[in-house]
Amino acid sequence: MNFKNELNKIAEEAFQKAGFDPKYGKVTVSNRPDLCEYQCNGALAAAKEYHTAPIKIAEAIAPYFLENGAFSKAEAVAPGFINLDLSTAFLADFAAGMADSPKFGMELPAPRRILLDYGGPNVAKPLHIGHLRTAIIGESVKRILRYTGNEVIGDIHLGDWGLQFGLIIEELRDRRPELPYFNPEFTGEYPKTAPFTLSELEEIYPAASARSKTDEAFMARAHERTFLLQKEDPATVALWKHIMALSIPDEKRLYDYLDVHFELWRGESDAAPAVPEVVSIVKDKGLARVSEGALIVDVMEESDKREVPPCIILKSDGAALYQTTDLGTIILRMREFDPDMMIYVTDKRQELHFTQVFRVARKAGIVRPETELVHIGYGTMNGKDGKPFKTRAGGVMRLESLISEVEEAVREKMRERYDDEELNEDTVRLVALAAIKYGDLSNQAAKDYNFDIDRFASFEGNTGPYILYTIVRIRSILKKAGREEIVPGDLSVLRNAAPGCKELLKVLAGFTDMMDEAAGDLAPHKICSYIYQLSDAFNSFYHETPILREEDDALRNGYLSLLALVKCVLEDCIDMLGFSAPEKM
Ligand code: ARG
């Protein structure tokens, strides 16, 4: 039920019937849409093998393209192209087939178990816009892979073991030396509740971080404290737990708002017990060497065009690094889940880190040879002016503030359309979420993009709200007609429908091909451009076709089934992007 395969099959048959090797039978979307919809260039390639003029071959083959009715036109043109137009009848039948099959006829590959590592916020810092892309892209990749039949386990992999804790705790020590955590004589039980609130914590961290930039002694203490945490010093661990208990619920709340959900809330700290194992594996396999006191593994390969520095496993003071906890995490994930694939979604600036980690994991046999390791590196989200996104005051924008700004922009657009009483806050939320997510996902992940609130929140153009508006519009037409289900048989009537309808059927037929690419390349932006095209095709069809006033009952039912099918495809697509449509807008 893959549209492109179906067309290629017809092309292969045409070559075979005309006495040529079927391998030349391939069709592609026409690069001259003014002349034809599809084209076949096989005759040009076959000419060499058969020592015949390409136009002669094209002329011999063209009639066979018309045999099964898929094409309404097959024209041989110089020097040897075959120009093809699809028949509306074929498209109508194809749509009926889509409507009748699960997932619109997608052929699903063998299911795999996939561990998806995304989100990855560093605990103790409020979520800021730097956390947005991994959450949005990761959630969408998860949903795409699930839609295509895989088992996907999402792990947030919290940054809960790093220097930020050393900084916070040492800053706290200077401010509140009287706390029992800082009294070496203290032997009792540490208090159950934190000695600070979340907002105090949110003030302490940036203060400590700024101080560490100029105060070397303070920075040294912070490192020492981080090391104590890794060594599980009781007072440090007690404070760490307080920080975690305050931060995590707040993060959960924001991820819930974003409709981003993790199966596992593990973190770097969970990998700590596996760190000694990482060390002994690389030592036992003879992969490690000591350089300037640090334990390192060389990972440079002959084919590398650029220098790939060694992966540091332990620093000279014995401290584990980001790479080490990632390797430990892989050991634990293999043991617990034995996934076929692990995917990491982070800023593309972490590419080298993952190259090193993946290479050590392979060399050390921490993963199976067939375990696929993938890093999706995304670009920077810039402001409207193309410069890194900042608050008006020039600081890093909190995710919460960004969301409120987008909501306000959406509210404003909605006020232009509705009375105040009709302004529904649930709708504002859904539209804002679509604006944010679509604005991000419609760009290829690896590219930088400009976050333009006004454009993203617009109800027109290539935006999330436009897609939602299209869905809501279709729903209301169907409701008005009192006929909301898809009747596959009704779609066949559309074989005689008007040209606007053909365009819509054509876009619809491309769903499975598009999904193969989106899932194969882990590329949500392909779904975005598809639904934009589908929405446009629907809107022009709707504009030129009086559906509800159609007097021929059979045709009217055909149109309504077509609309219902378009709606279902759009709904599945936006669900894969991670948002949904409101009832009204
Ligand atoms: N916490 C990291 C950061 O903020 C991202 C974690 C990504 N996942 C991983 N397994 N390294 O950069």
Side-chain angles (χ1 to χ4, degrees):
M1 264 299 288
N2 186 306
F3 192 60
K4 217 189 278 163
N5 288 349
E6 207 102 320
L7 298 184
N8 282 332
K9 219 160 47 199
I10 295 167
E12 284 165 17
E13 275 166 24
F15 272 75
Q16 190 147 38
K17 284 182 187 157
F20 297 95
D21 192 327
K23 76 172 182 218
Y24 295 111
K26 290 261 170 305
V27 301
T28 51
V29 175
S30 160
N31 53 17
R32 285 287 305 273
D34 52 324
L35 296 180
C36 56
E37 296 167 344
Y38 279 83
Q39 63 189 63
C40 170
N41 306 341
L44 294 163
K48 291 189 198 81
E49 183 181 331
Y50 294 98
H51 304 291
T52 311
I55 184 72
K56 285 268 168 311
I57 300 181
E59 277 166 354
I61 291 164
Y64 292 104
F65 270 94
L66 298 172
E67 274 193 351
N68 82 342
F71 293 100
S72 59
K73 177 181 95 174
E75 226 170 46
V77 294
F81 301 114
I82 303 173
N83 288 350
L84 302 160
D85 275 346
L86 292 163
S87 81
T88 311
F90 178 71
L91 288 168
D93 290 343
F94 194 84
M98 280 178 76
D100 218 7
S101 334
K103 310 250 161 98
F104 311 109
M106 260 198 90
E107 282 164 34
L108 302 181
R112 298 203 283 171
R113 176 179 295 163
I114 299 167
L115 204 135
L116 181 67
D117 180 314
Y118 69 113
N122 293 330
V123 178
K125 312 179 197 178
L127 292 185
H128 57 80
I129 56 131
H131 296 109
L132 191 61
R133 295 209 74 188
T134 171
I136 292 178
I137 298 168
E139 181 71 17
S140 177
V141 166
K142 182 161 92 179
R143 293 175 184 213
I144 292 170
L145 290 170
R146 283 198 178 146
Y147 192 84
T148 48
N150 301 288
E151 178 195 347
V152 192
I153 304 157
D155 182 3
I156 188 167
H157 199 73
L158 295 166
D160 59 359
W161 209 229
L163 182 63
Q164 76 265 35
F165 292 95
L167 290 166
I168 292 169
I169 294 172
E170 284 307 305
E171 176 69 21
L172 188 69
R173 177 153 82 127
D174 289 347
R175 293 187 187 192
R176 312 264 299 275
E178 75 287 357
L179 290 174
Y181 310 91
F182 304 119
N183 174 4
E185 251 88 82
F186 185 81
T187 50
E189 229 178 84
Y190 293 114
K192 291 260 176 297
T193 49
F196 39 70
T197 63
L198 181 63
S199 38
E200 277 163 353
L201 188 62
E202 288 176 352
E203 181 269 321
I204 293 177
Y205 175 70
S209 169
R211 181 175 164 199
S212 72
K213 303 227 160 70
T214 52
D215 185 340
E216 267 177 48
F218 177 70
M219 185 60 141
R221 272 168 49 202
H223 275 295
E224 182 59 28
R225 181 61 76 174
T226 309
F227 194 42
L228 278 178
L229 175 64
Q230 296 186 350
K231 290 208 314 216
E232 297 184 36
D233 163 64
T236 310
V237 169
L239 282 168
W240 174 81
K241 283 190 178 151
H242 289 317
I243 299 172
M244 295 284 284
L246 284 178
S247 297
I248 289 176
D250 191 52
E251 286 178 353
K252 277 212 165 110
R253 181 179 59 84
L254 268 171
Y255 283 117
D256 277 345
Y257 176 94
L258 290 174
D259 210 349
V260 167
H261 310 280
F262 303 96
E263 282 63 54
L264 302 174
W265 279 75
R266 308 253 170 102
E268 290 174 27
S269 67
D270 292 292
V275 166
E277 211 172 322
V278 173
V279 174
S280 61
I281 292 177
V282 296
K283 277 188 182 160
D284 293 351
K285 301 237 162 158
L287 299 170
R289 65 186 173 92
V290 176
S291 165
E292 293 172 36
L295 188 72
I296 65 172
V297 174
D298 291 305
V299 291
M300 182 91 181
E301 287 170 6
E302 239 167 68
S303 57
D304 287 333
K305 296 207 174 59
R306 269 186 298 150
E307 152 116 42
V308 181
C311 180
I312 306 175
I313 305 291
L314 292 179
K315 288 201 297 184
S316 53
D317 64 3
L321 289 109
Y322 184 39
Q323 298 83 283
T324 329
T325 51
D326 258 332
L327 285 163
T329 304
I330 296 180
I331 294 181
L332 300 176
R333 284 176 180 167
M334 288 306 291
R335 206 166 280 156
E336 190 173 2
F337 304 107
D338 191 18
D340 302 300
M341 185 180 193
M342 288 187 225
I343 303 174
Y344 296 79
V345 187
T346 75
D347 190 306
K348 68 180 172 199
R349 281 170 290 196
Q350 293 195 25
E351 195 182 314
L352 176 60
H353 166 79
F354 286 104
T355 302
Q356 293 176 318
V357 168
F358 292 171
R359 285 185 183 182
V360 175
R362 286 217 183 283
K363 283 176 101 166
I366 290 173
V367 294
R368 287 184 279 121
E370 64 278 14
T371 312
E372 223 185 308
L373 299 171
V374 177
H375 175 225
I376 302 178
Y378 53 79
T380 307
M381 170 179 147
N382 289 318
K384 200 173 166 175
D385 55 1
K387 300 203 186 93
F389 205 99
K390 289 269 151 60
T391 57
R392 283 196 193 92
V396 178
M397 189 180 271
R398 290 177 66 150
L399 205 46
E400 217 152 10
S401 320
L402 179 85
I403 290 170
S404 330
E405 282 195 22
V406 177
E407 284 187 345
E408 190 42 41
V410 166
R411 228 173 262 126
E412 212 163 284
K413 307 258 180 224
M414 289 182 45
R415 267 192 213 112
E416 291 165 14
R417 295 171 173 254
Y418 312 100
D419 300 331
D420 264 356
E421 307 86 77
E422 275 184 281
L423 202 79
N424 175 321
E425 277 303 310
D426 288 335
T427 306
V428 170
R429 197 175 52 81
L430 289 175
V431 177
L433 195 58
I436 296 173
K437 289 194 170 185
Y438 189 94
D440 187 307
L441 294 170
S442 54
N443 301 282
Q444 209 176 317
K447 297 217 172 105
D448 298 348
Y449 78 101
N450 297 351
F451 196 94
D452 182 342
I453 294 182
D454 271 337
R455 189 168 71 75
F456 289 2
S458 166
F459 283 42
E460 280 124 48
N462 189 7
T463 71
Y466 170 65
I467 307 290
L468 296 190
Y469 184 68
T470 304
I471 294 174
V472 169
R473 188 179 214 182
I474 299 178
R475 284 188 193 152
S476 98
I477 299 166
L478 293 174
K479 196 170 251 159
K480 209 182 276 170
R483 201 174 163 295
E484 297 173 51
E485 73 284 17
I486 315 175
V487 182
D490 284 353
L491 287 161
S492 306
V493 181
L494 301 175
R495 23 178 63 235
N496 309 314
C501 186
K502 181 181 181 187
E503 190 50 39
L504 183 53
L505 286 167
K506 221 162 60 181
V507 180
L508 211 43
F511 173 77
T512 51
D513 291 323
M514 177 285 292
M515 277 305 298
D516 286 348
E517 287 185 27
D521 303 345
L522 306 176
H525 74 274
K526 303 217 161 152
I527 298 181
C528 292
S529 54
Y530 176 75
I531 57 178
Y532 180 45
Q533 216 191 338
L534 186 59
S535 298
D536 266 355
F538 158 75
N539 281 307
S540 29
F541 166 66
Y542 178 65
H543 191 72
E544 62 195 42
T545 318
I547 297 171
L548 293 177
R549 276 179 284 122
E550 175 56 58
E551 277 166 12
D552 178 340
D553 268 353
L555 190 57
R556 185 167 179 269
N557 287 341
Y559 286 155
L560 291 171
S561 275
L562 176 63
L563 260 52
L565 179 58
V566 171
K567 180 193 73 113
C568 290
V569 169
L570 287 174
E571 283 170 343
D572 278 13
C573 286
I574 63 168
D575 187 55
M576 283 187 269
L577 298 174
F579 56 90
S580 52
E583 279 313 308
K584 252 179 70 177
M585 76 185 261

